[in-house]
Amino acid sequence: MILGAHVSIAGGVSNAPLNAQKLGINAFQIFTKNQNRWKDKPLEPAEVEKYLANCESCDIRRTVAHSAYLINLCTTDNGKLKMSRNAFLDEMMRAEQLRIPYLVMHPGSHLGAGESEGIRLIAESLRMLFNQQPDGKVRVLLETTAGQGTNLGYRFEQMAELIELIDCDARVGVCLDTCHIFAAGYDIRTPDAYEATIAEFDRVVGLDRLYVFHFNDSRRELGSRIDRHEHLGNGKIGVEPFKLFVQDPRFTDLPGLIETPGDMEDFAGNLDILRGLEGEK
Ligand SMILES: [Zn+2]
Ligand SMILES: [Zn+2]
């Protein structure tokens, strides 16, 4: 598996590959802008050049962008929906500029409108945005969620429905977050539970639609529907299940990214755990 982490772009996006190199990884995820703002200034062409050169010199093999949390493509507020769509189009264009093939997004929160209405609106939003960027190459990855509040995407069936309604296979895929699926009620703690969950994902969504893993332990229990990341081995999932993922021959070519709390030093510790598990019998 291609191990990586969500790294900082403080000081400019060109620092992301350098941060990855410091961690000894060949894959990373970034926010391509300040994730707490609706708008950020455009990427400077010189900074983009520097970023691409650094990716090359740091031997980066897989890059992933994560969209801002403010964006909700199924909000019931029309003004916010417009802002969300504009902001997401900007995210798609930034990823395009940085030649990042995947843009991870949390599908959205229906805010009381109901799950099926939320799913319908997310699909409508994405179809509309793909039409506005017909030559776009970035693949939008719907991230499995914990199902906190009115968040959608906590059942594999919801992912399948979204993909079907978006109806644009070339531009859509899925990112599987271990903390989120566990909090959503999918057990992975034993080899049998792991196999059953992966088989369920394959049956409902399809493993061919899976492009990225987020590796996080969960502070909260199975089915809690609460999204709290924890360091690998310190949460309710534990270390062992991560060995099943990193040693699974079906996933050798996929990036497995850490999004655990803390700083670079904490990342290094979590990555060491994954590397150790890769080599274990
Ligand atoms: Zn995640
Ligand atoms: Zn999360």
Side-chain angles (χ1 to χ4, degrees), residues 15-279:
N15 285 328
L18 302 177
N19 289 333
Q21 191 179 45
K22 277 179 211 149
L23 289 166
I25 49 180
N26 308 92
F28 63 75
Q29 174 178 280
I30 52 171
F31 292 118
T32 63
K33 57 188 272 289
N34 184 326
Q35 80 276 22
N36 300 314
R37 282 198 219 139
W38 282 105
K39 271 198 174 135
D40 203 350
K41 50 185 188 324
L43 293 163
E44 297 284 342
E47 181 61 15
V48 172
E49 283 308 311
K50 208 165 140 191
Y51 165 88
L52 294 172
N54 286 349
C55 280
E56 179 98 32
S57 67
C58 297
D59 191 25
I60 302 302
R61 294 164 56 202
R62 221 47 75 84
T63 57
V64 178
H66 196 300
S67 64
Y69 296 117
L70 290 169
I71 295 172
N72 183 3
L73 293 181
C74 64
T75 172
T76 47
D77 177 325
N78 270 329
K80 288 245 169 72
L81 183 62
K82 211 173 159 199
M83 283 162 81
S84 290
R85 286 171 169 172
N86 286 339
F88 199 74
L89 185 64
D90 181 53
E91 299 260 9
M92 285 163 60
M93 292 191 305
R94 283 169 184 269
E96 220 50 67
Q97 268 183 289
L98 298 169
R99 295 185 212 160
I100 298 177
Y102 307 122
L103 174 59
V104 171
M105 55 107 64
H106 295 188
S109 301
H110 67 74
L111 307 174
E115 295 189 338
S116 50
E117 171 56 15
I119 287 169
R120 187 200 64 75
L121 193 51
I122 295 163
E124 182 186 297
S125 296
L126 284 172
R127 272 203 317 270
M128 185 187 214
L129 295 170
F130 291 153
N131 285 332
Q132 285 177 33
Q133 197 206 32
D135 302 323
K137 286 179 193 64
V138 63
R139 191 183 287 273
V140 171
L141 301 187
L142 306 161
E143 179 168 358
T144 57
T145 69
Q148 199 166 308
T150 63
N151 272 0
L152 292 162
Y154 63 92
R155 295 289 310 167
F156 296 160
E157 287 80 2
Q158 295 177 340
M159 305 308 254
E161 199 184 340
L162 276 166
I163 292 167
E164 196 187 319
L165 288 174
I166 297 163
D167 193 23
C168 188
D169 280 353
R171 301 184 71 174
V172 182
V174 175
C175 165
L176 191 148
D177 186 306
T178 52
C179 165
H180 297 173
I181 61 165
F182 181 76
Y186 293 100
D187 200 1
I188 47 174
R189 290 171 296 185
T190 64
D192 283 350
Y194 170 84
E195 279 307 329
T197 290
I198 299 299
E200 175 82 352
F201 182 92
D202 192 28
R203 185 181 66 79
V204 178
V205 181
L207 284 175
D208 55 332
R209 293 207 160 103
L210 179 61
Y211 290 88
V212 171
F213 283 104
H214 283 170
F215 286 150
N216 304 301
D217 205 334
S218 174
R219 192 168 295 176
R220 304 298 287 265
E221 61 282 8
L222 178 73
S224 63
R225 303 269 302 264
I226 295 173
D227 178 8
R228 293 281 181 281
H229 299 189
E230 183 53 274
H231 297 295
L232 307 187
N234 288 359
K236 304 286 184 203
I237 297 176
V239 165
E240 280 300 300
F242 293 98
K243 177 169 151 185
L244 302 170
F245 281 103
V246 297
Q247 292 195 359
D248 194 320
R250 292 169 289 188
F251 306 140
T252 24
D253 205 34
L254 297 188
L257 311 171
I258 298 239
E259 279 180 326
T260 44
D263 53 18
M264 293 276 277
E265 215 166 294
D266 295 308
F267 281 158
N270 283 291
L271 286 164
D272 279 345
I273 290 174
L274 291 176
R275 289 189 192 106
L277 293 171
E278 271 192 321

